[in-house]
Amino acid sequence: MSSENLPQSPAPAEPFAPAGGQKPRVAVVFGGRSSEHGVSVVTAGAVLRAIDRSKYDVLPIGITREGRWALTSDDPERMAITDRKVPDVADLADSPEGGVVLPVDPSSREVVYTEPGSVPKVLGDVDVVFPVLHGPYGEDGTIQGLLDLSGTPYVGCGVLSSAVGQDKEYMKRIFTSFGLKVGPYLTVRPREWEREQEGARRRIADFVSDHGWPLFIKPARAGSSIGITKIDSFAGLDEAMETARAHDPKVIIEAAILGREIECGVLEFEDGPRASVPAEIPPVQTHDFYDFEAKYIDSAAGIVPAPLTAEQTAEVRRLAVAAFDAVSCEGIVRADFFLDEEGEFVINEINTLPGFTPISMYPRMWQESGVSYPELVDRLLQAALRRPTGLR
């Protein structure tokens, strides 16, 4: 396997230090209003456990399913999946009513905590935010826009790349415009399904005529394989559409691609983005496809590194960085591909905040590439602190 561009012995990032010699203060923001709330809490637990407390001060902030920003305890052990159930911010909050307010004034980074009937309490400045919010209202550019308004550095992609990375339709359109091969897909917009359903059904029937069964019915702007249904006939279409629309009124329909599932991580280094060794997601015997239960509950094991030829490994790493650049990403991305029966890589999607739990593929791929989980967290924080705020 070629080791070109692999950070086998990466030089340590130059640490940022705020004025006065204090440690940088990191706000880890997690939870959120999306259907991936519980996964986000699990991710936050892993990040909190990995942050080097000798280098950083940490402020955990959870967002409840209703959207309240809550001060939470810094207790990663309470953020794990227990008895096949994902954790919830409401169970971790210090108060059932208290709220955290981030600044929107670029001249101040003070975080304030308020409770009904009490004087607001200043929690101090925040130097960088580590958002571990999966899905809408977090991974999709919304919190990135809020932080840009306030002039606060943050880990990961900016507004545009986050929004594009969340919307599978526009992601594929951009990939195509940059010459990356994508699989056949069809988008069903909310108004079409609600007002012109017969026309939508005809388009889907034409799509099946061209590409065959099965189809994957997906929420266009969701992740963690939530809301996805695989169908083999029109008999399952209505239920699959409603399952997807419960998470997003915009639905994307994809044809099946015969081949191997290959993933590759991209990480921003001082000299630009680099790709990890790739991984392979083998067929999951106990699930119809690599769904939420397989990913997070049953801990389906990927193969790291993927058993590819040296040429295939070099090509998928090249394509992963090309996808990162095509969407103007920053910091972190996981790129997911199919290696089809013709031996070509077809990009399925990117994740601008990939799974970051202890069993997730992104940290495992970088571990195999010579970057441990704590160093991975540190590099993401240092990249965010180096990056200028505003247009770049």
Side-chain angles (χ1 to χ4, degrees), residues 133-201:
L133 296 160
H134 298 292
Y137 314 112
E139 192 181 350
D140 59 353
T142 48
I143 192 172
Q144 290 79 10
L146 172 65
L147 295 171
D148 279 342
L149 281 174
S150 69
T152 304
Y154 55 91
V155 167
C157 293
V159 174
L160 175 64
S161 50
S162 296
V164 170
Q166 186 67 32
D167 191 309
K168 294 177 176 62
E169 176 195 3
Y170 286 100
M171 182 196 312
K172 292 176 188 292
R173 288 180 181 271
I174 288 178
F175 287 155
T176 301
S177 72
F178 276 82
L180 297 168
K181 184 178 180 180
V182 304
Y185 70 95
L186 177 70
T187 305
V188 179
R189 301 180 185 280
R191 184 172 59 186
E192 183 180 14
W193 189 252
E194 292 160 7
R195 303 182 187 178
E196 304 164 16
Q197 198 168 116
E198 288 310 309
R201 292 178 187 279

Side-chain angles (χ1 to χ4, degrees), residues 300-315:
I303 303 169
V304 187
L308 301 170
T309 67
E311 293 75 15
Q312 289 171 329
T313 296
E315 176 65 1

Side-chain angles (χ1 to χ4, degrees), residues 76-363:
E77 302 307 317
R78 297 176 60 197
M79 300 179 181
I81 295 174
T82 305
D83 297 329
R84 304 178 69 85
K85 294 182 180 179
V86 291
D88 195 293
V89 166
D91 298 326
L92 303 168
D94 287 354
S95 163
E97 295 182 304
V100 174
V101 180
L102 290 183
V104 291
D105 182 351
S107 66
S108 171
R109 291 183 184 170
E110 278 192 347
V111 175
V112 177
Y113 178 73
T114 63
E115 282 198 73
S118 300
V119 176
K121 178 182 178 182
V122 175
L123 300 179
D125 290 357
V126 165
D127 296 296
V128 60
V129 172
F130 199 138
V132 290
L133 296 160
H134 298 292
Y137 314 112
E139 192 181 350
D140 59 353
T142 48
I143 192 172
Q144 290 79 10
L146 172 65
L147 295 171
D148 279 342
L149 281 174
S150 69
T152 304
Y154 55 91
V155 167
C157 293
V159 174
L160 175 64
S161 50
S162 296
V164 170
Q166 186 67 32
D167 191 309
K168 294 177 176 62
E169 176 195 3
Y170 286 100
M171 182 196 312
K172 292 176 188 292
R173 288 180 181 271
I174 288 178
F175 287 155
T176 301
S177 72
F178 276 82
L180 297 168
K181 184 178 180 180
V182 304
Y185 70 95
L186 177 70
T187 305
V188 179
R189 301 180 185 280
R191 184 172 59 186
E192 183 180 14
W193 189 252
E194 292 160 7
R195 303 182 187 178
E196 304 164 16
Q197 198 168 116
E198 288 310 309
R201 292 178 187 279
R202 284 194 297 271
R203 286 208 302 131
I204 296 170
D206 291 342
F207 186 79
V208 171
S209 296
D210 291 337
H211 304 292
W213 301 100
L215 300 181
F216 290 88
I217 314 297
K218 302 181 177 182
R221 295 162 292 192
S224 297
S225 298
I226 290 174
I228 298 178
T229 306
K230 176 183 176 183
I231 62 172
D232 297 294
S233 71
F234 284 111
L237 177 63
D238 285 0
E239 183 178 356
M241 287 293 293
E242 292 313 307
T243 297
R245 282 169 49 82
H247 301 278
D248 185 354
K250 179 179 173 181
V251 174
I252 192 163
I253 298 173
E254 295 175 351
I257 297 175
L258 298 178
R260 299 162 62 187
E261 292 190 51
I262 307 295
E263 298 184 347
C264 192
V266 182
L267 177 65
E268 180 183 344
F269 282 73
E270 292 83 350
D271 59 353
R274 301 186 199 176
S276 70
V277 299
E280 180 168 5
I281 307 300
V284 183
Q285 302 300 323
T286 56
H287 296 265
D288 203 21
F289 61 97
Y290 195 45
D291 61 5
F292 178 85
E293 291 268 328
K295 283 184 179 180
Y296 295 104
I297 304 299
D298 293 335
S299 306
I303 303 169
V304 187
L308 301 170
T309 67
E311 293 75 15
Q312 289 171 329
T313 296
E315 176 65 1
V316 75
R317 290 178 56 228
R318 182 190 72 80
L319 291 171
V321 173
F324 183 98
D325 288 336
V327 189
S328 299
C329 295
E330 296 169 295
I332 178 173
V333 152
R334 192 193 73 230
D336 299 347
F337 298 87
F338 294 104
L339 178 57
D340 68 18
E341 294 181 314
E342 283 72 47
E344 286 193 83
F345 285 103
V346 179
I347 187 162
N348 184 37
E349 64 181 22
I350 59 170
N351 281 269
T352 56
L353 183 60
F356 217 77
T357 69
I359 64 168
S360 297
M361 296 309 300
Y362 185 89

Side-chain angles (χ1 to χ4, degrees), residues 1-8 274-277 310 313-314 317-318:
M1 180 184 298
S2 170
S3 61
E4 180 186 359
N5 291 328
L6 280 181
Q8 300 296 339
R274 301 186 199 176
S276 70
V277 299
T313 296
R317 290 178 56 228
R318 182 190 72 80

Side-chain angles (χ1 to χ4, degrees), residues 28-43:
V28 179
V29 181
F30 60 95
R33 293 164 53 196
S34 84
S35 53
E36 297 173 77
H37 177 101
V39 175
S40 173
V41 179
V42 175
T43 300

